[in-house]
Amino acid sequence: MAQVTLKGNPVQVNGELPQAGSKAPAFSLVAGNLSDKTLADFAGKRKVLNIFPSVDTPTCATSVRKFNAQANDIANTVVLCISADLPFAQARFCGAEGLDNVQNLSTLRGAEFIQNYGVAIADGPLKGLTARAVVVLDENDNVLHSELVKEIAEEPNYEAALAVLK
């Protein structure tokens, strides 16, 4: 169990974030067309997992925009934006913003992902959502970088996440 904060207030997070050097746990999440999308569906690509509570918050929306812009020119890389938002809300946000360099995945049927990736908020007003985290995987699903953001209302370290892909 890890502890982060939400606007300075302590929040418990269950599980452990995969660490650099480990193999990423398999997952199944919900794509925009309500189909199941697995880690194996992205085989052979490098992956940036941008994990956050909801695209309807300013910091989460900013992270989607920044990864959309910054990861665009990195070869053989896909950015997966993962939140509890329904696929319809994710699509609406990205459509309105003109963001087409990221893929949204919902934890709608992804309780196992939330536990296996150590991002389950266990208490406080966001209980049941995911903490803010970034996990970067190579083509073989080995973890290159991971960050559990200590303050949920703050942005992740984009530079550190993307530097392992250059």
Side-chain angles (χ1 to χ4, degrees), residues 9-23:
N9 298 307
V11 174
Q12 296 300 314
V13 179
N14 287 337
E16 284 193 36
L17 194 67
Q19 295 300 304
S22 68
K23 192 76 164 177

Side-chain angles (χ1 to χ4, degrees), residues 49-99:
L49 310 183
N50 177 28
I51 306 163
F52 51 88
S54 173
V55 76
D56 285 326
T57 64
T59 306
C60 300
T62 297
S63 75
V64 173
R65 288 184 198 105
K66 285 192 177 179
F67 275 122
N68 180 77
Q70 294 181 19
N72 184 39
D73 297 327
I74 301 175
N76 196 36
T77 301
V78 60
V79 176
L80 306 176
C81 293
I82 301 168
S83 69
D85 298 295
L86 293 176
F88 317 113
Q90 293 171 333
R92 186 173 51 250
F93 171 78
C94 286
E97 295 276 332
L99 307 177

